[in-house]
Amino acid sequence: SSGFIQFEDVANQYIYGTNNAEFGNIHIRSGKAVIAEIDFRLNGELYLHAASSYLNIGDSRLTISETGTVTNAADGRFIVTNGALSDGGVTKEFSSSGGSFTFPIGVGTSGGKYTPATINVTDAGGVVGTINIKPYDGPHLVCTNELVDELQYYWSVNSTGFSNPTVNHIYQYVDVDITATESYYVNAKYDNASNVWTKQTEEIDYTNNEILFTGVNYIDGDYTAGYVDNFGEVDVYYSSGNGNWGQASSWVLNSSTGPAASVGPRGNPVIIQNGHTITTNQNGAYSGSVNIEAGGRLDLRSTVEHNLGLVSGGGTINLTSTGAGSFVFPAGDFSAFMSTSGSTVEYTGNGTLPTSIKTYQNVIFLGNSTKSIPAIDILVLGDLTIADGELDNSSFNRSIRLEGDWINQSAGGFIPGTGTVLFEGGNEQFLTSSGGSGENFYNFQINKTAGTLTLNNAVDVNRVLTLASGIVNTTATELLTVNYSQSTAVQGGSDTSFINGPLRRNVNSSSSAIFPVGKDGRYGLVEIFGTNTSGTQYWVGEYFNATPADATNLASPLQLISNNEYWSLQGVNGAEANVRLRWDNQSAIIPAGAAERQKLRVAQYLPPWTKVGETVSDVSQIEGTVETVTPISFDGTGQDFTLGLEQTASAEITSGDLSACDNGTTFPVTFNVTEDAPLKVVLQINGANNQVYDNLAEGEHIVEFTYADLYAIAGNGEYLITILSVTDDNGLSGIILGSGVTLTLLETPAPVINGPSSVLTGSTTTYSVSETSGNTYAWSVSALGSIDNPSSSSINVTWGSITGTATLTLIESNPNGCNTTVTYDVDVRDWPVITGNFDVCAGSIETYSTRQMSGHEYDWSVEGGNITA
């Protein structure tokens, strides 16, 4: 917003919360630090008022918006990072027109190193972009000379966006980082992608301690200064097989088949190839970058003081705890490695995990010993495996976020403390605890974007189960149990987050509990309340998206029960509780009218199905609850409950789908109505065309639909017949069961025969119908003539010498199985038959003829016209 948060306390103050939080303006007035424990975004101004007031972002990331600013930064008041490649650094957003921004960054807090960097994008190429800078408090490791004759500091810069930009860079260093003759320094940029140095001379302002790159077309790189010999051609070390980091025999240069190295790597880029294991037995290995390929392995053992630069690849890093009982992760930027599928970190031994690593791809805990979660939350993008020993979260009680599988192969292998384990992401996840009888968590949360979590073993939650998003699959043996007895022990639950199977939870007497259960994608929340037990007792709830057993065995006054859902609840023998059931938009027996919904009941299978509750909380036809007011007694076994309806009119179409041709067949539709007569039912055809049937008796009724009546609505095709409403003798609407019936009018041929109706004996005439592709034709004629090609749509008939009336018969059939028979009478005679057009326009010329008979004479006349030939 346009307001600001002002920090005034003289003690250090902290910013906690969820990553990527947004702030308007931040003012720091005290002479102490504001320490950010999260990544966050600044949309306005960071104002550093007092001397020694600074913002310490540590390894977090600060993003400053395009309009964001930093005011009054100077030596002693600036943005402080850890000075390591693993930091998030400061990111500035630039508009498509570019601009200049000074990154007021440094290390060492008050009295430390203020090393600002100014980036002026004079031409952004018309594309918006971002620039991220991380200061590194030490010499650049990739050099070709001794580390002492280069600046003991560099800036790692990365960008997004822009298009062929033009840029001016200024990097300001401090005297303490000069360890050689400054006037011999040249400026240099290292490209991590190509492993190439770019160096320039006469681009350092020695007076003001500024490294300058002016009018260049690049942004990304590591920027520093030093003697020119530091920035020569860089050899890339490839592992040649299993070996030791410091031994030359373990490496070849610049390709997998390159020449043998003469010395071990000294800051060079390193590639550990598939199938190779590189081991260290000495402290202090360092490299500008390490790529551990999938199948490759770096075994650091218990050595320390390593700096591996930019680490990538999908291989494995193994660390063994030190004698002091800690795991010392090497320095470097592991973001690419940890985000690569398949990459794995193994911890062997006894100790506390490093605080420098918050995100893992896969992590495995080896050795019959205890590994402790440090004072940070951990995100595992792949699998977490406890192969041996224990993983202890009781020291700092942090959160473990997991997007892959939880695999515990050690009995009692996880000590949860009071932390939270969260299953997240969009993967199908599995929870397996094969080393013991199950798994124990303190807080257990499901917050998935897609996929499900399947329990392969029983799981106990000792405090709070939270269902934010995602489905948990359980069974009677792979059971999820919540041991905390308060009603708040289970939170959340929705159509997109529920327990797909049974849920067991501990419940206080005189209390209530929800069971956010479901089945096959459908949410079926059930609640118990007013419990009466001897202290706290365990209850089990499960939902079934299916027809209850023995659904027609009903005790009066129940008329029917749900045909698509029921619940099972189990309490200890002698326990009592009231039961509350919900209905939703898929519940099958919910009446449309509010008055009729007051007849909904809780039904329990005793047997028979019996009404046990009738208090309705009605919201609509798709939402509401019905509950008991007299507690139900439980006997230690599962008791089934479902929704019932008491003496309400109902109607259901009971006949099946039909199809027919236009051959006089009718479509009988049978429906059944119940309740007190006279009853009224309204049927609909395709959602309209209401058909009202009133004064009906209870029982079965048949309505005959004709082909012609339906055809008049929309021609051939399907017609859905449904029940719109049913009303009893009191005018109260009832419920509609079933989904209707489909009547299909099959397309039926309608041939029309064309040809002369009067012919001469001995003549040949043509008769035809319009041809339809796929149809078949069968012609026949009485004894006065014969047909040429009777299976065609067009035939020639040769008439004999006998006069009289002949009948042509055609049967046309189509692939639907429909056929139509038509006849055509023909007068066969031995006196002239004139052929020609008898429907003419004035002034037209027409031709008329008759068959010429041997020996006959012809005399034509016409009225209203003239004969021209």
Side-chain angles (χ1 to χ4, degrees):
S1 71
S2 59
F4 61 87
I5 298 174
Q6 184 159 292
F7 294 89
E8 297 183 339
D9 200 317
V10 294
N12 290 343
Q13 296 174 281
Y14 292 82
I15 299 174
Y16 296 107
T18 303
N19 276 333
N20 304 315
E22 297 202 17
F23 292 85
N25 302 286
I26 295 176
H27 290 197
I28 304 177
R29 301 191 64 89
S30 70
K32 294 294 183 180
V34 172
I35 301 172
E37 297 288 335
I38 60 171
D39 297 344
F40 70 100
R41 175 186 174 90
L42 178 70
N43 295 320
E45 178 190 49
L46 170 62
Y47 197 124
L48 302 168
H49 287 260
S52 300
S53 62
Y54 53 90
L55 174 63
N56 188 341
I57 63 173
D59 62 359
S60 300
R61 177 186 292 258
L62 167 62
T63 299
I64 301 175
S65 73
E66 179 186 325
T67 57
T69 60
V70 180
T71 303
N72 208 31
D75 192 10
R77 50 176 183 265
F78 50 87
I79 298 172
V80 176
T81 73
N82 287 340
L85 286 179
S86 55
D87 295 343
V90 176
T91 297
K92 181 69 171 75
E93 297 175 346
F94 290 79
S95 71
S96 59
S97 59
S100 179
F101 182 76
T102 296
F103 292 76
I105 51 180
V107 298
T109 66
S110 178
K113 301 175 184 179
Y114 178 47
T115 55
T118 300
I119 307 293
N120 184 6
V121 183
T122 60
D123 184 354
V127 179
V128 300
T130 69
I131 297 175
N132 173 266
I133 299 184
K134 296 186 283 188
Y136 182 83
D137 192 18
H140 201 286
L141 301 177
V142 182
C143 65
T144 52
N145 206 348
E146 297 299 327
L147 295 181
V148 295
D149 56 10
E150 65 174 293
L151 189 70
Q152 304 296 290
Y153 202 90
Y154 70 89
W155 297 258
S156 181
V157 183
N158 290 279
S159 66
T160 64
F162 303 119
S163 176
N164 192 28
T166 302
V167 186
N168 299 327
H169 303 245
I170 302 175
Y171 301 96
Q172 184 175 322
Y173 56 91
V174 295
D175 288 339
V176 71
D177 288 328
I178 303 169
T179 57
T181 304
E182 182 182 8
S183 60
Y184 292 169
Y185 281 4
V186 298
N187 63 350
K189 177 185 80 75
Y190 182 71
D191 187 334
N192 286 288
S194 63
N195 303 313
V196 171
W197 283 104
T198 300
K199 52 186 177 294
Q200 298 179 354
T201 59
E202 301 178 0
E203 290 292 339
I204 295 181
D205 182 342
Y206 300 111
T207 301
N208 295 306
N209 288 4
E210 292 180 344
I211 303 170
L212 310 174
F213 292 81
T214 304
V216 297
N217 63 354
Y218 47 76
I219 298 176
D220 292 20
D222 296 343
Y223 295 86
T224 190
Y227 287 7
V228 69
D229 291 344
N230 282 288
F231 312 124
E233 185 174 341
V234 178
D235 287 324
V236 178
Y237 276 59
Y238 285 74
S239 63
S240 58
N242 297 337
N244 188 276
W245 178 281
Q247 292 178 345
S249 59
S250 303
W251 308 99
V252 294
L253 301 180
N254 300 320
S255 75
S256 60
T257 58
S262 59
V263 295
R266 297 172 62 253
N268 303 76
V270 164
I271 297 175
I272 300 175
Q273 300 189 79
N274 177 21
H276 296 174
T277 296
I278 296 296
T279 305
T280 60
N281 56 15
Q282 291 182 337
N283 298 335
Y286 66 96
S287 174
S289 63
V290 176
N291 179 4
I292 309 172
E293 295 180 344
R297 182 179 178 87
L298 176 59
D299 188 350
L300 297 174
R301 298 184 177 178
S302 58
T303 57
V304 295
E305 298 177 359
H306 306 301
N307 192 336
L308 303 184
L310 302 176
V311 183
S312 60
T316 299
I317 297 175
N318 178 274
L319 287 89
T320 301
S321 59
T322 67
S326 61
F327 294 93
V328 181
F329 217 86
D333 181 351
F334 290 84
S335 57
F337 180 79
M338 297 305 184
S339 61
T340 301
S341 177
S343 70
T344 303
V345 174
E346 296 177 348
Y347 289 107
T348 303
N350 184 80
T352 300
L353 305 187
T355 58
S356 58
I357 302 299
K358 297 178 181 178
T359 300
Y360 297 89
Q361 182 64 222
N362 300 287
V363 60
I364 301 176
F365 302 100
L366 299 166
N368 189 20
S369 53
T370 300
K371 290 84 175 169
S372 298
I373 301 295
I376 58 169
D377 295 340
I378 289 176
L379 169 62
V380 182
L381 300 174
D383 297 342
L384 183 152
T385 303
I386 306 171
D388 304 289
E390 296 175 337
L391 178 63
D392 187 354
N393 194 29
S394 64
S395 296
F396 299 100
N397 305 303
R398 305 299 295 199
S399 293
I400 302 174
R401 297 162 51 207
L402 181 64
E403 295 187 7
D405 296 340
W406 178 284
I407 305 167
N408 185 357
Q409 300 167 336
S410 176
F414 181 59
I415 302 172
T418 58
T420 300
V421 174
L422 302 92
F423 284 80
E424 300 179 341
N427 300 319
E428 293 292 334
Q429 294 176 278
F430 297 88
L431 195 160
T432 304
S433 183
S434 57
S437 59
E439 192 60 274
N440 282 278
F441 299 102
Y442 189 73
N443 295 317
F444 189 65
Q445 183 169 329
I446 311 302
N447 190 19
K448 296 177 59 58
T449 57
T452 64
L453 168 62
T454 299
L455 305 188
N456 289 331
N457 298 91
V459 170
D460 278 55
V461 179
N462 296 324
R463 193 67 173 184
V464 176
L465 166 67
T466 302
L467 297 171
S469 178
I471 311 299
V472 182
N473 298 317
T474 67
T475 68
T477 53
E478 289 77 32
L479 187 61
L480 179 60
T481 299
V482 180
N483 295 314
Y484 187 42
S485 60
Q486 298 299 311
S487 60
T488 56
V490 176
Q491 299 181 8
S494 67
D495 290 338
T496 58
S497 189
F498 54 79
I499 305 301
N500 187 60
L503 171 63
R504 181 172 179 257
R505 59 177 301 185
N506 200 12
V507 182
N508 286 326
S509 185
S510 302
S511 184
S512 62
I514 64 169
F515 292 83
V517 289
K519 190 78 70 178
D520 300 329
R522 187 175 177 195
Y523 184 44
L525 177 70
V526 63
E527 302 173 70
I528 58 173
F529 60 97
T531 58
N532 182 13
T533 56
S534 56
T536 60
Q537 297 288 351
Y538 284 94
W539 297 75
V540 179
E542 187 170 5
Y543 173 78
F544 297 90
N545 187 24
T547 302
D550 203 15
T552 59
N553 185 10
L554 309 176
S556 181
L558 286 180
Q559 180 186 358
L560 75 165
I561 60 171
S562 172
N563 63 3
N564 69 352
E565 62 184 339
Y566 67 97
W567 291 261
S568 173
L569 286 169
Q570 178 181 335
V572 297
N573 188 24
E576 293 182 336
N578 282 300
V579 176
R580 180 181 294 121
L581 308 180
R582 68 93 190 95
W583 71 79
D584 63 12
N585 61 342
Q586 298 182 59
S587 298
I589 64 167
I590 311 304
E596 292 79 357
R597 288 196 293 274
Q598 292 301 315
K599 293 188 177 182
L600 285 165
R601 303 292 182 252
V602 177
Q604 181 184 7
Y605 188 59
L606 294 177
W609 286 99
T610 304
K611 179 186 80 170
V612 292
E614 58 184 22
T615 300
V616 175
S617 296
D618 178 37
V619 178
S620 67
Q621 191 177 10
I622 63 173
E623 182 181 0
T625 62
V626 58
E627 62 191 49
T628 63
V629 292
T630 300
I632 304 298
S633 295
F634 290 82
D635 61 3
T637 64
Q639 302 293 305
D640 289 347
F641 298 86
T642 191
L643 296 166
L645 199 60
E646 180 179 316
Q647 296 301 323
T648 301
S650 68
E652 181 180 13
I653 293 176
T654 57
S655 56
D657 296 343
L658 296 172
S659 61
C661 306
D662 186 12
N663 55 10
T665 301
T666 61
F667 297 85
V669 174
T670 303
F671 63 87
N672 188 69
V673 290
T674 63
E675 203 34 65
D676 296 334
L679 295 151
K680 181 173 77 172
V681 170
V682 179
L683 300 184
Q684 283 193 324
I685 305 171
N686 289 346
N689 309 293
N690 291 359
Q691 313 286 311
V692 179
Y693 304 92
D694 52 14
N695 294 317
L696 299 176
E698 186 175 32
E700 189 173 88
H701 300 269
I702 299 176
V703 176
E704 301 278 354
F705 290 91
T706 69
Y707 190 105
D709 289 340
L710 296 174
Y711 189 92
I713 296 173
N716 296 318
E718 294 183 347
Y719 292 82
L720 178 63
I721 311 301
T722 56
I723 298 174
L724 174 63
S725 63
V726 57
T727 308
D728 64 15
D729 63 335
N730 296 314
L732 294 177
S733 61
I735 62 168
I736 300 160
L737 305 175
S739 57
V741 64
T742 299
L743 309 180
T744 303
L745 305 190
L746 299 175
E747 186 176 0
T748 305
V752 176
I753 297 175
N754 298 303
S757 59
S758 298
V759 298
L760 283 172
T761 57
S763 65
T764 298
T765 53
T766 299
Y767 296 88
S768 65
V769 294
S770 296
E771 185 172 359
T772 300
S773 178
N775 286 7
T776 59
Y777 304 88
W779 296 82
S780 60
V781 65
S782 59
L784 299 181
S786 61
I787 298 174
D788 176 29
N789 193 17
S791 61
S792 174
S793 61
S794 177
I795 61 171
N796 292 322
V797 180
T798 300
W799 304 103
S801 59
I802 300 174
T803 63
T805 299
T807 300
L808 277 174
T809 301
L810 169 64
I811 303 174
E812 182 175 353
S813 304
N814 66 16
N816 291 332
C818 298
N819 60 75
T820 301
T821 301
V822 292
T823 59
Y824 190 75
D825 289 337
V826 181
D827 181 18
V828 182
R829 58 195 187 193
D830 57 3
W831 43 278
V833 177
I834 300 173
T835 60
N837 185 8
F838 295 98
D839 185 12
V840 300
C841 296
S844 66
I845 298 175
E846 306 289 343
T847 299
Y848 299 90
S849 64
T850 187
R851 182 184 175 203
Q852 184 173 356
M853 302 292 290
S854 177
H856 288 206
E857 295 181 356
Y858 300 90
D859 184 16
W860 293 84
S861 63
V862 62
E863 294 182 6
N866 298 309
I867 298 175
T868 59

